[in-house]
């Protein structure tokens, strides 16, 4: 008699309780009970043949790719270096040389690595004739977590799963991983994982990476469009006063002995912006809320100019970036600079999900651009955010 199926204990630890409930509900299975009881239901159904292993495995794949708050490292591939991964025969040769299978496989449910070394536990390849168009891989490795039990810190072994995608049509590498705050390595671990796996792929397939600096302009375009949309109602409300503002500014400049109303400071512009600012602060809830045409809101930003000056504007006592003096006072400089290093964005999901928000941090370096999601991540949320960023990138290009 075949051994009964049991879910790998580390996978049980890795999975989110609410996510398991959603999976059961989607498959018409009662969702009451503790996490261990829900897992027990799944094991029973699989062993009875009522639930197919493929449905369960598809769910697990999605959890390792999305799931818990995720950090996505994305970098451009040098098209001149892709022959070894694009040509099917050379791709298989490179996998064999590295000691990996050449055919698609999944060992996600059985993997229990005891080493910190990365173990390939999943491979899926898409082909067009004899050319490779996409490669998906998942690497598992052992990590040590610090866990508090009865006020005592103990160390437990756990498994990390890192998802890797080589999109050869768009010439991009994406590495998706789950940040851990209770590891010995601390916050630098995510970058270490990206660096180690991107180096592994470079050695295996002889691929090289390009600079991602132009994504700083994409971040500016996101900032510009999202703030424009949010400010639009208040800009329109001030418009009828522009002629009067200009007249008053000329009068005050003349009375005060200034060269003119725009020297040394553009008084009409500053006056206009001050009124818009007052309207925004007076209607802040609506300003931050979803409205038709709004893709999201800017929560915080960071940039450094060519002189080395740095600006880091964020919420004041939870009021949001739009309440911050530095946001308004540096706006002209931002529009001159047209780049950002980091941007914190809350995205609105479209259509039937207008009340759903997805918090993210966007960051650009020469080596990569990063998208960090602060909440439990669903596939459709990730797809929406990445496709929206791609649209802004096309504007930049």
């Amino acid at each position: 008699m075949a051994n009964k199926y049991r879910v790998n204990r580390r996978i049980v630890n890795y999975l989110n309780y609410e996510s398991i409930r959603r999976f059961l509900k989607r498959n018409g299975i009662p969702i009451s009970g503790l996490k261990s009881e829900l897992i027990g239901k799944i094991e029973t159904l699989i062993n009875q043949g009522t639930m197919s292993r493929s449905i369960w495995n598809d769910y697990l794949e999605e959890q390792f790719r999305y799931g818990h708050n995720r950090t996505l490292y994305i970098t451009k591939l040098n098209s001149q270096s892709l022959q070894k991964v694009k040509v099917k025969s050379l791709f298989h040769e490179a996998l064999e040389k590295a000691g990996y299978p050449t055919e698609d496989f999944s060992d996600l449910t059985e993997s229990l690595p005891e080493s910190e070394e990365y173990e390939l536990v999943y491979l899926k390849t898409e082909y067009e004739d004899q050319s490779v168009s996409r490669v998906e891989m998942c690497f598992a490795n052992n990590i040590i977590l610090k866990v508090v039990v009865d006020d005592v810190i103990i160390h437990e072994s756990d498994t990390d799963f890192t998802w890797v995608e080589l999109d050869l049509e768009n010439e991009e590498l994406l590495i998706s991983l789950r940040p851990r705050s209770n590891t010995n390595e601390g916050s630098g671990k995510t970058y270490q994982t990206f660096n180690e796996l991107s180096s592994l792929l470079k050695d295996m397939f002889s691929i090289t990476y390009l600079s991602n600096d132009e994504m700083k302009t994409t971040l500016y375009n996101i900032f510009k469009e999202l703030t424009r949309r949010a400010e639009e109602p208040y800009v329109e409300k001030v418009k009828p006063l522009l002629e009067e503002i200009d007249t008053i500014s000329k009068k005050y400049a003349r009375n005060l002995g200034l060269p003119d109303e725009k020297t040394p400071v553009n008084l009409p512009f500053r006056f206009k912006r001050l009124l818009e600012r007052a309207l925004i602060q007076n209607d802040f809830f609506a300003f931050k809320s979803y409205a038709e045409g709004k893709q999201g809101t800017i929560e915080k930003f960071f940039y450094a100019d060519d002189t080395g000056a740095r600006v880091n504007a964020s919420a004041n006592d939870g009021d949001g970036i739009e309440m911050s003096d530095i946001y308004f006072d540096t706006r002209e400089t931002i529009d001159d600079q047209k780049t950002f290093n980091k941007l914190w964005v809350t995205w609105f999901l479209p259509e039937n999900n207008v009340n759903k928000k997805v918090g993210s941090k966007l960051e650009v370096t020469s080596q990569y651009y990063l998208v960090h999601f602060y909440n439990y991540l669903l596939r459709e949320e990730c797809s929406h955010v990445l496709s929206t960023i791609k649209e802004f990138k096309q504007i930049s290009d």
Side-chain angles (χ1 to χ4, degrees), residues 50-66:
T50 309
M51 176 186 290
S52 73
R53 281 285 296 273
S54 63
I55 291 175
W56 174 240
N57 288 345
D58 288 346
Y59 162 75
L60 291 179
E61 287 178 20
E62 190 167 278
Q63 297 311 297
F64 299 141
R65 171 64 177 85
Y66 306 100

Side-chain angles (χ1 to χ4, degrees), residues 7-261:
V7 182
N8 184 322
R9 62 178 175 82
R10 290 195 186 173
I11 289 180
V12 175
N13 293 337
Y14 190 89
L15 295 176
N16 174 273
Y17 174 66
E18 289 301 324
S19 170
I20 299 172
R21 282 164 55 90
R22 284 194 296 270
F23 169 75
L24 292 173
K25 185 176 181 180
R26 199 162 59 231
N27 287 278
I29 302 163
I31 60 175
S32 61
L34 301 173
K35 185 178 183 179
S36 58
E37 294 172 325
L38 300 184
I39 293 294
K41 290 181 184 181
I42 293 167
E43 291 172 338
T44 299
L45 291 170
I46 290 174
N47 289 320
Q48 290 175 343
T50 309
M51 176 186 290
S52 73
R53 281 285 296 273
S54 63
I55 291 175
W56 174 240
N57 288 345
D58 288 346
Y59 162 75
L60 291 179
E61 287 178 20
E62 190 167 278
Q63 297 311 297
F64 299 141
R65 171 64 177 85
Y66 306 100
H68 294 273
N69 62 315
R70 307 294 291 184
T71 296
L72 276 53
Y73 285 88
I74 304 170
T75 189
K76 290 169 56 180
L77 302 172
N78 185 339
S79 59
Q80 302 302 313
S81 69
L82 298 180
Q83 184 180 17
K84 191 182 284 190
V85 67
K86 272 190 170 183
V87 178
K88 185 177 180 179
S89 59
L90 297 179
F91 173 65
H92 285 181
E93 185 180 311
L95 287 172
E96 285 181 341
K97 188 175 180 181
Y100 296 141
T102 59
E103 301 299 322
D104 292 357
F105 79 100
S106 176
D107 193 24
L108 290 170
T109 60
E110 309 302 327
S111 175
L112 198 68
E114 299 298 333
S115 166
E116 293 183 358
E117 297 297 318
Y118 299 105
E119 176 185 329
L120 183 65
V121 295
Y122 177 91
L123 174 67
K124 181 180 178 182
T125 313
E126 295 178 15
Y127 300 98
E128 292 181 5
D129 296 326
Q130 295 302 306
S131 296
V132 180
S133 58
R134 175 183 290 271
V135 181
E136 292 186 47
M137 311 169 88
C138 184
F139 291 89
N141 67 302
N142 183 69
I143 59 172
I144 304 299
L145 300 181
K146 293 181 286 186
V147 182
V148 178
V149 178
D150 296 329
D151 296 326
V152 177
I153 296 177
I154 62 172
H155 294 82
E156 285 187 355
S157 292
D158 202 352
T159 303
D160 243 5
F161 297 91
T162 305
W163 204 267
V164 175
E165 290 185 14
L166 280 164
D167 182 348
L168 301 173
E169 291 185 346
N170 294 305
E171 299 182 347
E172 273 190 347
L173 165 67
L174 183 151
I175 296 179
S176 171
L177 47 88
R178 174 187 174 188
R180 306 271 196 155
S181 60
N182 55 344
T183 62
N184 291 331
E185 296 89 350
S187 60
K189 176 61 177 173
T190 59
Y191 171 73
Q192 179 184 333
T193 300
F194 161 75
N195 195 43
E196 290 171 350
L197 284 177
S198 59
S199 296
L200 183 152
L201 295 170
K202 180 179 180 180
D203 293 341
M204 192 189 314
F205 299 121
S206 303
I207 56 178
T208 56
Y209 308 107
L210 299 176
S211 170
N212 297 274
D213 281 337
E214 80 283 352
M215 284 298 297
K216 293 178 182 178
T217 303
T218 300
L219 262 57
Y220 168 76
N221 287 333
I222 292 171
F223 169 87
K224 183 179 178 181
E225 176 60 15
L226 266 53
T227 51
R228 184 191 70 80
R229 286 280 188 179
E231 294 174 351
E232 195 170 36
Y234 312 100
V235 170
E236 291 298 317
K237 203 167 185 177
V238 173
K239 262 187 180 180
L241 303 176
L242 293 182
E243 189 174 334
E244 187 177 345
I245 289 171
D246 194 55
T247 301
I248 292 172
S249 298
K250 286 178 179 177
K251 177 184 176 182
Y252 288 165
R254 186 169 57 252
N255 291 347
L256 293 169
L258 295 173
D260 59 57
E261 74 279 8

Side-chain angles (χ1 to χ4, degrees), residues 193-396:
T193 300
F194 161 75
N195 195 43
E196 290 171 350
L197 284 177
S198 59
S199 296
L200 183 152
L201 295 170
K202 180 179 180 180
D203 293 341
M204 192 189 314
F205 299 121
S206 303
I207 56 178
T208 56
Y209 308 107
L210 299 176
S211 170
N212 297 274
D213 281 337
E214 80 283 352
M215 284 298 297
K216 293 178 182 178
T217 303
T218 300
L219 262 57
Y220 168 76
N221 287 333
I222 292 171
F223 169 87
K224 183 179 178 181
E225 176 60 15
L226 266 53
T227 51
R228 184 191 70 80
R229 286 280 188 179
E231 294 174 351
E232 195 170 36
Y234 312 100
V235 170
E236 291 298 317
K237 203 167 185 177
V238 173
K239 262 187 180 180
L241 303 176
L242 293 182
E243 189 174 334
E244 187 177 345
I245 289 171
D246 194 55
T247 301
I248 292 172
S249 298
K250 286 178 179 177
K251 177 184 176 182
Y252 288 165
R254 186 169 57 252
N255 291 347
L256 293 169
L258 295 173
D260 59 57
E261 74 279 8
K262 294 184 179 180
T263 309
V265 174
N266 190 333
L267 293 176
F269 176 79
R270 294 292 179 90
F271 195 178
K272 177 180 83 76
R273 291 296 290 160
L274 184 61
L275 293 176
E276 293 166 359
R277 177 178 182 172
L279 289 172
I280 289 170
Q281 292 179 338
N282 192 52
D283 193 29
F284 193 65
F285 179 79
F287 179 80
K288 297 292 290 183
S289 300
Y290 174 81
E292 188 175 352
K294 287 176 71 172
Q295 294 171 292
T297 60
I298 304 297
E299 305 298 335
K300 180 179 175 181
F301 64 79
F302 170 87
Y303 77 89
D305 64 22
D306 295 335
T307 68
R310 293 166 176 259
V311 175
N312 191 9
S314 60
N316 286 341
D317 300 324
D319 287 334
I321 186 176
E322 294 76 20
M323 303 291 276
S324 172
D325 289 343
I326 198 168
Y327 164 71
F328 290 96
D329 295 343
T330 61
R331 183 64 181 273
E332 291 176 76
T333 306
I334 290 168
D335 288 334
D336 287 339
Q337 192 75 15
K338 290 184 170 54
T339 60
F340 278 106
N341 303 78
K342 300 177 187 179
L343 206 59
W344 286 256
V345 182
T346 296
W347 303 94
F348 296 126
L349 294 188
E351 297 173 357
N352 298 324
N353 298 292
V354 294
N355 293 319
K356 178 68 176 178
K357 300 177 181 180
V358 180
S360 69
K361 172 189 174 184
L362 313 180
E363 179 180 348
V364 178
T365 71
S366 294
Q367 197 176 0
Y368 59 81
Y369 79 88
L370 174 152
V371 185
H372 175 73
F373 294 93
Y374 288 103
N375 308 107
Y376 188 87
L377 183 64
L378 301 176
R379 178 192 292 270
E380 56 268 25
E381 296 170 350
C382 183
S383 297
H384 172 70
V385 172
L386 292 185
S387 63
T388 305
I389 293 172
K390 187 175 181 180
E391 289 172 8
F392 280 105
K393 184 177 184 298
Q394 289 169 345
I395 294 171
S396 305

